[in-house]
């Protein structure tokens, strides 16, 4: 396991979640995930369990930029009173 901005991720092969933040406020949810797949990485943003954006990346630097963006979005939501939902490791 490796740590990046306080979040654990694992660079194992195929289908491994390397980044996940899920927040909730007043019955609404937002989730930000990056998952390793056979072709690279899939970065996904969800609202209320519906995917609103997916970006497929082949370049690790693009993945890092997306994880930074997801951290910023999650931090802004927390500043607005959203709470992080614990997730199993």
């Amino acid at each position: 396991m490796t740590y990046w901005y306080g979040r654990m991720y694992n660079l194992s092969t195929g289908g491994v979640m390397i980044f996940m933040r899920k927040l909730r406020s007043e019955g609404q949810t937002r989730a930000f995930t990056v998952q390793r797949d056979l072709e690279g990485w899939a970065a996904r943003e969800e609202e209320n369990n519906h995917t609103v954006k997916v970006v497929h990346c082949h370049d690790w630097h693009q993945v890092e930029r997306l994880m930074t963006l997801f951290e910023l979005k999650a931090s802004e939501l927390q500043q607005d009173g959203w709470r992080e939902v614990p997730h199993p490791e």
Side-chain angles (χ1 to χ4, degrees):
M1 291 292 182
T2 306
Y3 290 89
W4 185 87
Y5 280 90
R7 301 282 171 240
M8 251 190 320
Y9 64 91
N10 184 338
L11 290 178
S12 300
T13 58
V16 175
M17 189 71 61
I18 63 169
F19 180 91
M20 180 176 178
R21 298 283 307 265
K22 186 171 185 177
L23 299 104
R24 178 171 295 161
S25 177
E26 299 177 8
Q28 304 289 312
T29 61
R30 296 282 302 272
F32 308 94
T33 61
V34 178
Q35 185 171 1
R36 181 82 165 115
D37 61 26
L38 296 176
E39 298 177 9
W41 297 269
R44 183 179 316 274
E45 187 171 345
E46 298 179 3
E47 292 181 12
N48 301 319
N49 297 318
H50 296 286
T51 301
V52 295
K53 185 176 185 179
V54 178
V55 177
H56 293 278
C57 308
H58 302 284
D59 174 41
W60 177 248
H61 297 292
Q62 184 180 11
V63 174
E64 290 178 315
R65 287 189 296 274
L66 286 168
M67 288 192 296
T68 299
L69 177 63
F70 287 170
E71 283 289 352
L72 290 171
K73 287 183 175 187
S75 293
E76 289 173 357
L77 290 170
Q78 286 180 308
Q79 289 175 2
D80 290 340
W82 290 62
R83 302 280 182 214
E84 186 139 16
V85 176
H87 56 279
E89 297 188 32

